[in-house]
Coordinates of all heavy atoms in Angstrom, one line a residue:
G91 N -4.3 -39.9 -57.4 CA -3.3 -38.7 -57.7 C -3.0 -37.9 -56.5 O -2.2 -36.9 -56.7
G92 N -3.5 -38.4 -55.4 CA -3.1 -37.6 -54.2 C -3.5 -36.2 -54.1 O -4.3 -35.8 -55.0
A93 N -3.2 -35.6 -53.0 CA -3.6 -34.2 -52.9 C -2.9 -33.4 -54.0 O -3.5 -32.4 -54.5 CB -3.3 -33.6 -51.5
S94 N -1.8 -33.8 -54.5 CA -1.0 -33.1 -55.4 C -1.8 -33.0 -56.8 O -1.6 -31.9 -57.5 CB 0.4 -33.8 -55.6 OG 1.1 -33.8 -54.5
F97 N -3.9 -30.1 -56.8 CA -3.1 -28.8 -57.0 C -3.4 -28.3 -58.6 O -3.5 -27.1 -58.8 CB -1.7 -28.7 -56.7 CG -1.3 -29.1 -55.4 CD1 0.0 -29.4 -55.0 CD2 -2.3 -29.1 -54.3 CE1 0.4 -29.8 -53.8 CE2 -1.8 -29.5 -53.0 CZ -0.5 -29.8 -52.7
W116 N 3.2 -27.2 -48.9 CA 2.2 -27.6 -49.8 C 1.3 -26.6 -50.4 O 0.9 -26.7 -51.6 CB 1.3 -28.6 -49.0 CG 2.0 -29.7 -48.5 CD1 2.4 -30.1 -47.2 CD2 2.8 -30.8 -49.2 NE1 3.1 -31.1 -47.1 CE2 3.4 -31.7 -48.3 CE3 2.9 -31.0 -50.6 CZ2 4.2 -32.8 -48.8 CZ3 3.6 -32.0 -51.1 CH2 4.3 -32.9 -50.2
T163 N -4.5 -24.0 -46.9 CA -4.2 -25.3 -46.3 C -4.6 -25.3 -44.9 O -4.0 -24.5 -44.1 CB -2.7 -25.5 -46.6 OG1 -2.4 -25.3 -48.0 CG2 -2.4 -27.0 -46.2
N165 N -4.2 -27.4 -42.5 CA -3.1 -27.8 -41.4 C -1.9 -28.0 -42.2 O -1.9 -28.8 -43.2 CB -3.7 -29.1 -40.8 CG -2.7 -29.6 -39.7 OD1 -2.7 -29.0 -38.7 ND2 -2.0 -30.7 -40.1
T167 N 1.3 -29.7 -42.4 CA 1.8 -31.0 -41.8 C 3.3 -30.8 -41.4 O 3.7 -31.4 -40.4 CB 1.7 -32.1 -42.9 OG1 0.5 -31.8 -43.6 CG2 1.8 -33.4 -42.3
D186 N -7.2 -27.4 -48.9 CA -6.5 -28.7 -48.8 C -6.5 -29.1 -47.4 O -5.9 -28.4 -46.5 CB -5.0 -28.4 -49.3 CG -4.0 -29.6 -49.0 OD1 -4.6 -30.7 -48.5 OD2 -2.9 -29.5 -49.4
S188 N -5.8 -32.0 -46.2 CA -5.2 -33.4 -46.2 C -4.7 -33.9 -44.8 O -5.0 -35.1 -44.4 CB -3.9 -33.4 -47.1 OG -4.2 -33.4 -48.4
S189 N -4.3 -32.9 -43.9 CA -3.7 -33.5 -42.7 C -4.6 -33.1 -41.4 O -4.2 -33.4 -40.3 CB -2.3 -33.1 -42.4 OG -2.1 -31.8 -42.7
G207 N -5.8 -35.8 -49.2 CA -5.2 -37.1 -49.4 C -5.4 -37.9 -48.1 O -5.1 -37.4 -47.0
Q209 N -4.0 -40.3 -46.6 CA -3.0 -41.0 -45.8 C -2.5 -40.5 -44.5 O -1.5 -41.0 -43.9 CB -1.8 -41.2 -46.8 CG -1.1 -40.0 -47.1 CD -1.5 -39.3 -48.4 OE1 -2.7 -39.4 -48.8 NE2 -0.5 -38.4 -48.9
K210 N -3.1 -39.4 -44.0 CA -2.7 -38.9 -42.7 C -3.8 -39.3 -41.5 O -3.4 -40.1 -40.7 CB -2.6 -37.4 -42.7 CG -1.3 -37.0 -43.5 CD -1.6 -36.2 -44.6 CE -0.4 -36.1 -45.6 NZ 1.0 -36.3 -45.1
Ligands
PLP411 C1 -1.3 -30.7 -46.4 C2 -0.7 -31.5 -47.4 N1 -1.0 -31.3 -48.7 C3 -0.7 -32.1 -49.7 C4 0.1 -33.2 -49.5 C5 0.7 -33.9 -50.6 O1 -0.1 -35.0 -50.7 P1 0.0 -36.3 -51.7 O2 1.3 -36.9 -51.5 O3 -1.2 -37.1 -51.5 O4 -0.1 -35.6 -53.1 C6 0.6 -33.4 -48.2 C7 1.4 -34.7 -48.0 O5 2.2 -34.9 -47.2 C8 0.1 -32.7 -47.2 O6 0.5 -32.9 -45.9

Side-chain angles (χ1 to χ4, degrees):
S94 299
F97 298 168
W116 299 115
T163 312
N165 184 75
T167 327
D186 175 357
S188 294
S189 49
Q209 69 271 19
K210 282 118 196 338

